[in-house]
Amino acid sequence: MSEIKLIVGLGNPGAEYTHTRHNAGFWLIDELAWAWNARLKEEKKFFGEVARVTRPEGEIWLLKPNTFMNRSGQAVAALASFYKIKPEEILVVHDELDIPCGRIRFKLGGGNGGHNGLKDIQARLGTPGFYRLRLGIDHPGDRNLVVGYVLNKPSAEDRQAIDDAIAKSIQGLPLVLSGQWEEATRFLHSK
């Protein structure tokens, strides 16, 4: 059973995207770096901001790709290849339209649900076999409204629900990192 060696938060670089729903993965990495007292630094060869953290479970890399969402796989593949991290040792944290705002889903593999960041990571790694931590952001109700929805700020109430989900995710991470998949899933999926 592999342990997680790389946690990737998906989002878009740039001040205009900082507070948008699509950056929920970035928000989690920022909170995690703060909680773990890690400093994210720009690394051009990994196309993003990275931090190496020594934890009781071992060494873990944090990554925020500086490519845009649809090229997230470039950063993930570069770091994973350099440090010989297998796909099943990667946890990708991303926003999820198909989950109610503030809810969390944790799983290994699966489809990409139309998420461009996941599509690119799957293409670059050559497999969907990596872990995902899906942060619910809700759906606008009409697929024609999705792009505008994910690239805009959530309401204060929705942002609080997402922040609460991020805090719960960080609380559940030790279960994930120690390979207690069932316990992690039970904890993260509970209300």
Side-chain angles (χ1 to χ4, degrees):
M1 190 167 291
S2 296
E3 72 265 9
I4 301 296
K5 294 182 179 164
L6 169 59
I7 303 174
V8 183
L10 299 188
N12 283 310
E16 68 271 33
Y17 298 109
T18 301
H19 301 289
T20 65
R21 289 176 183 88
H22 224 16
N23 277 32
F26 276 12
W27 301 344
L28 184 136
I29 294 293
D30 288 339
E31 287 298 315
L32 190 57
W34 182 84
W36 286 356
N37 204 20
R39 236 180 99 231
L40 292 158
K41 286 187 243 150
E42 177 81 31
E43 283 282 352
K44 294 209 185 305
K45 70 178 173 185
F46 299 134
F47 307 97
E49 293 178 44
V50 301
R52 184 169 70 186
V53 184
T54 303
R55 301 278 307 156
E57 304 85 4
E59 198 167 82
I60 299 170
W61 288 92
L62 304 180
L63 171 65
K64 286 170 56 180
N66 275 346
T67 57
F68 280 85
M69 183 66 81
N70 61 355
R71 290 186 37 236
S72 299
Q74 184 179 8
V76 175
L79 195 144
S81 171
F82 189 85
Y83 290 107
K84 303 197 178 356
I85 298 170
K86 300 178 203 130
E88 64 272 16
E89 297 171 330
I90 299 172
L91 174 64
V92 175
V93 183
H94 63 91
D95 59 305
E96 178 60 65
L97 286 163
D98 297 328
I99 297 174
C101 201
R103 300 299 299 269
I104 309 161
R105 288 293 174 263
F106 171 68
K107 71 176 189 172
L108 172 63
N112 57 50
H115 194 291
N116 290 329
L118 292 179
K119 274 185 202 172
D120 195 56
I121 293 169
Q122 288 176 354
R124 301 280 184 140
L125 295 180
T127 178
F130 50 89
Y131 286 92
R132 299 103 187 274
L133 187 64
R134 303 155 66 207
L135 300 170
I137 61 165
D138 236 337
H139 197 287
D142 180 338
R143 66 188 182 112
N144 297 317
L145 301 175
V146 165
V147 172
Y149 180 78
V150 299
L151 294 178
N152 275 294
K153 285 171 72 167
S155 66
E157 185 182 328
D158 283 356
R159 177 64 197 247
Q160 186 61 57
I162 296 166
D163 286 345
D164 290 347
I166 287 170
K168 182 173 185 168
S169 298
I170 290 172
Q171 200 182 343
L173 263 181
L175 293 170
V176 173
L177 298 177
S178 61
Q180 298 177 64
W181 312 121
E182 285 178 32
E183 294 87 342
T185 302
R186 233 188 335 272
F187 175 77
L188 293 168
H189 291 200
S190 66
K191 194 86 162 111

